[in-house]
Amino acid sequence: MKQHILSCTTKYYKQISISFLLINFTTSVRPTNTSQLDKSMGYRLMCRFWTYDVFYHPAVREGGYEYLMRMDDDSYFADDTKEDLFVYMKRKDLDYGYRALYSEPIEPLKLLLRQLFGKKPIIINCIYNNFFLIRLKWYYESKEVQKLIDNLLRDDLILREYIGDGCAHGTMLKLDTRAQVERLERLSYGHNYHIMAPTLSKVIFKATEGFSEELIKSCQQLTVLRSFKGKLHRINIS
């Protein structure tokens, strides 16, 4: 995979510098029997990574970066973004940008929030965060964010009970009412078979025959789903 990414990218864009860093996804923590046992420990470690670990990896913490963007390897923009997203975040003075929301059971998170903030219910919208942009200064300096993160890490709660990273991000945004946040609805975005058309808030799932097979041609073309009909669009990048 590493060589594939390098050969695809540097073949056409020789000025781009790409670094690969190993992440230690091992732990002795075991999930509680009452947690969502369909979520493997590997998946839980991934959730912790995008909630905490990535922000304190030396490559990020010491890199002098202003923003961080996540883009999963099976995510894509189905059309031109019109503007560099980092420039857009800077111009709009945003702390966080995302495309869509989702929901899942969050009882352990609700219990934690009741312990921290009393009985007043807090409604959480989980971020569909296989794509997001975040201002690192906000993450590091927000007292509300850091209080939440500290409690998620205490006694490995985020691993033992399973708390998804999207719901953790949604909670960060809910707790820090000063955060400047935007749902980037004008982006035509896809995550494997999940399609998010411009201006529409809902996520459509459209399994499409041949889509996975097309991905092996990623050096020559970008293959995306643009419509709810499940039609493949191929964009030549060679």
Side-chain angles (χ1 to χ4, degrees):
M1 177 61 75
K2 176 180 177 180
Q3 292 304 318
H4 178 71
I5 293 173
L6 286 173
S7 63
C8 287
T9 308
T10 57
K11 180 178 180 180
Y12 307 110
Y13 305 99
K14 298 186 183 300
Q15 73 277 18
I16 292 179
S17 176
I18 301 176
S19 299
F20 296 86
L21 302 165
L22 290 175
I23 304 298
N24 183 8
F25 267 17
T26 59
T27 182
S28 60
V29 176
R30 293 292 177 264
T32 60
N33 291 332
T34 55
S35 67
Q36 295 185 55
L37 296 180
D38 60 317
K39 304 296 185 182
S40 68
M41 186 52 68
Y43 188 85
R44 296 174 190 224
L45 284 164
M46 180 278 295
C47 291
R48 190 187 69 181
F49 177 80
W50 286 111
T51 301
Y52 170 77
D53 297 336
V54 66
F55 297 100
Y56 289 96
H57 192 286
V60 174
R61 194 70 171 104
E62 301 168 10
Y65 300 110
E66 188 171 355
Y67 297 97
L68 178 145
M69 183 176 84
R70 174 181 178 180
M71 191 80 171
D72 278 12
D73 60 356
D74 55 350
S75 294
Y76 52 88
F77 297 121
D79 209 340
D80 195 325
T81 62
K82 310 303 181 187
E83 183 177 1
D84 184 309
L85 295 179
F86 294 103
V87 173
Y88 182 82
M89 292 284 290
K90 182 78 171 180
R91 180 170 63 81
K92 297 291 291 290
D93 195 28
L94 296 174
D95 296 309
Y96 197 98
Y98 68 98
R99 180 59 186 84
L101 301 170
Y102 79 101
S103 62
E104 67 174 340
I106 57 170
E107 290 309 314
L109 183 55
K110 287 182 178 179
L111 178 60
L112 173 63
L113 294 176
R114 284 196 294 269
Q115 293 171 348
L116 294 177
F117 303 104
K119 295 183 179 181
K120 183 178 179 180
I122 299 177
I123 299 174
I124 302 301
N125 293 313
C126 301
I127 304 297
Y128 192 80
N129 75 330
N130 34 65
F131 159 73
F132 68 85
L133 298 106
I134 187 171
R135 194 201 312 259
L136 292 170
K137 180 180 175 66
W138 171 72
Y139 177 90
Y140 297 132
E141 296 185 0
S142 168
K143 293 180 180 179
E144 294 85 355
V145 169
Q146 290 305 310
K147 181 177 181 180
L148 174 67
I149 298 301
D150 287 346
N151 281 276
L152 290 176
L153 296 177
R154 184 171 294 126
D155 298 325
D156 294 304
L157 176 68
I158 193 171
L159 297 180
R160 289 188 294 102
E161 294 294 342
Y162 172 69
I163 295 173
D165 51 312
C167 297
H169 280 228
T171 306
M172 293 191 302
L173 301 180
K174 186 71 173 183
L175 294 178
D176 190 345
T177 57
R178 295 162 298 179
Q180 299 299 308
V181 184
E182 183 174 325
R183 184 169 180 165
L184 306 172
E185 290 190 338
R186 294 186 179 183
L187 287 181
S188 181
Y189 172 71
H191 177 63
N192 51 65
Y193 297 123
H194 297 84
I195 306 169
M196 283 144 268
T199 71
L200 294 182
S201 58
K202 63 181 179 179
V203 179
I204 302 296
F205 180 84
K206 187 66 178 180
T208 303
E209 184 177 354
F211 181 67
S212 297
E213 290 76 7
E214 289 282 329
L215 297 182
I216 64 173
K217 304 175 184 176
S218 57
C219 278
Q220 295 79 37
Q221 68 184 32
L222 173 63
T223 304
V224 302
L225 294 172
R226 274 186 179 162
S227 72
F228 299 148
K229 296 180 180 180
K231 184 178 180 180
L232 292 176
H233 290 259
R234 300 167 181 85
I235 303 170
N236 186 6
I237 59 175
S238 60

